[in-house]
């Protein structure tokens, strides 16, 4: 079956640093990828998404990179702030296109 | 910004009891979902719902679970006879169109505790 995994369960950075969170997926036919941020006590909050016909997509302070050759997805956060502290999930659309498959999450801790 | 709202925020129930978790999706959204998250674990898909019927369900969504859209605004998840292992955060989500055309928007969840 399809699976999604994150490389590191935790990441600690200093305020102002750039953060990179990595994710691997198993199904080479996957064509939609999405990053969510989850703060304590809240539901996942959409950050940015990317389709398989793109390698890179930029938002405000965030960039998602997709490497289909190695089935790898990353989220880059520029100038990380304490408010960025949260759990970050990558998710992949399943083959049927009907459900998102989530990875386990990386806890980002930002110290000032 | 419109959001998905869920009630209650926390539900405590005894094993074997029925619970109904309620959700109000974003008003112009047509696709509805339930996901759950056991403490510290990843978010898991339960069911998707469109046009008053289930589009897809996972292995978790067995006969004890059901969903309903009783009126034009609410979307509910019922667990008929709760088990201890049903304890989790349950998230409702909605989207305007099916993926990948628009992302899912999640509510803040209902924490279900089965004792």
């Amino acid at each position: 079956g399809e699976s999604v995994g994150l490389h590191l369960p935790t990441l600690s950075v200093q305020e102002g640093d750039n953060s990179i969170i990595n994710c691997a997926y198993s199904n080479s036919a996957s064509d939609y990828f999405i990053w969510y941020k989850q703060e304590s006590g809240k539901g996942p909050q959409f950050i940015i998404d990317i389709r398989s016909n793109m390698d890179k997509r930029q938002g405000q302070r965030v960039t998602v990179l997709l490497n289909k050759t190695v089935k790898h997805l990353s989220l880059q956060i520029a100038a990380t702030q304490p408010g960025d502290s949260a759990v970050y999930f990558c998710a992949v659309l399943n083959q049927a296109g009907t459900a998102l498959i989530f990875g386990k999450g990386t806890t980002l801790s930002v110290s000032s | 910004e419109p959001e998905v709202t869920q009630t209650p925020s926390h539900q405590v129930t005894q094993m074997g009891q029925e619970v109904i978790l309620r959700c109000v999706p974003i008003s112009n959204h047509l696709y509805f979902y339930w996901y759950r998250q056991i403490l510290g674990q990843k978010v898991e898909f339960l069911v998707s719902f469109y046009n008053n019927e289930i589009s897809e369900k996972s292995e978790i969504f067995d006969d004890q679970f059901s969903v309903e859209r009783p009126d034009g605004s609410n979307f509910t998840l019922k667990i008929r006879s709760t088990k201890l292992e049903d304890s989790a955060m349950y998230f409702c989500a909605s989207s305007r169109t099916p993926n990948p055309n628009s992302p899912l928007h999640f509510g803040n969840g209902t924490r279900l505790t089965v004792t």
Side-chain angles (χ1 to χ4, degrees):
Chain A
E2 298 166 79
S3 66
V4 180
L6 276 158
H7 291 188
L8 284 177
T10 60
L11 177 65
S12 297
V13 301
Q14 291 280 108
E15 182 178 2
D17 286 352
N18 295 331
S19 303
I20 300 176
I21 300 171
N22 296 302
C23 183
Y25 59 96
S26 63
N27 187 353
S28 57
S30 297
D31 63 4
Y32 179 71
F33 309 86
I34 189 166
W35 282 98
Y36 282 94
K37 171 186 180 183
Q38 187 178 27
E39 296 173 283
S40 181
K42 294 188 176 180
Q45 178 187 2
F46 169 77
I47 303 173
I48 192 167
D49 57 2
I50 189 168
R51 299 190 192 185
S52 59
N53 62 351
M54 301 173 72
D55 297 323
K56 179 179 178 179
R57 192 168 184 216
Q58 286 185 289
Q60 191 177 14
R61 281 201 307 119
V62 294
T63 300
V64 54
L65 297 176
L66 176 63
N67 185 330
K68 295 179 287 292
T69 303
V70 295
K71 292 182 282 188
H72 182 269
L73 184 72
S74 68
L75 176 71
Q76 300 179 0
I77 305 173
T80 316
Q81 301 167 1
D84 295 327
S85 294
V87 180
Y88 289 81
F89 293 94
C90 66
V92 173
L93 189 65
N94 70 353
Q95 203 156 359
T98 52
L100 290 177
I101 301 169
F102 280 77
K104 278 192 175 179
T106 290
T107 300
L108 176 65
S109 300
V110 183
S111 51
S112 49
Chain B
E1 186 177 320
E3 48 182 40
V4 176
T5 56
Q6 291 186 243
T7 55
S9 57
H10 191 187
Q11 173 89 47
V12 181
T13 190
Q14 288 190 322
M15 196 167 51
Q17 295 296 304
E18 174 183 288
V19 294
I20 298 176
L21 310 182
R22 303 180 190 278
C23 170
V24 179
I26 295 173
S27 62
N28 64 347
H29 285 191
L30 300 175
Y31 296 81
F32 314 115
Y33 312 83
W34 284 100
Y35 284 75
R36 80 170 185 191
Q37 184 180 32
I38 294 171
L39 186 62
Q41 302 295 314
K42 61 184 178 182
V43 179
E44 299 175 294
F45 170 73
L46 292 178
V47 66
S48 58
F49 189 87
Y50 169 69
N51 201 25
N52 280 323
E53 60 183 29
I54 290 173
S55 307
E56 182 164 350
K57 57 185 181 180
S58 70
E59 292 174 352
I60 304 168
F61 195 89
D62 61 22
D63 292 345
Q64 294 299 313
F65 291 86
S66 63
V67 289
E68 192 178 29
R69 187 152 164 84
D71 53 42
S73 60
N74 291 284
F75 180 51
T76 62
L77 174 69
K78 182 193 291 186
I79 309 176
R80 262 180 272 284
S81 177
T82 50
K83 304 185 288 287
L84 294 176
E85 54 265 38
D86 293 327
S87 296
M89 284 290 290
Y90 287 81
F91 293 107
C92 173
S94 69
S95 63
R96 191 168 47 84
T97 62
N99 278 308
N101 297 318
S102 62
L104 268 62
H105 294 266
F106 285 82
N108 282 332
T110 292
R111 179 176 298 283
L112 177 65
T113 302
V114 182
T115 61

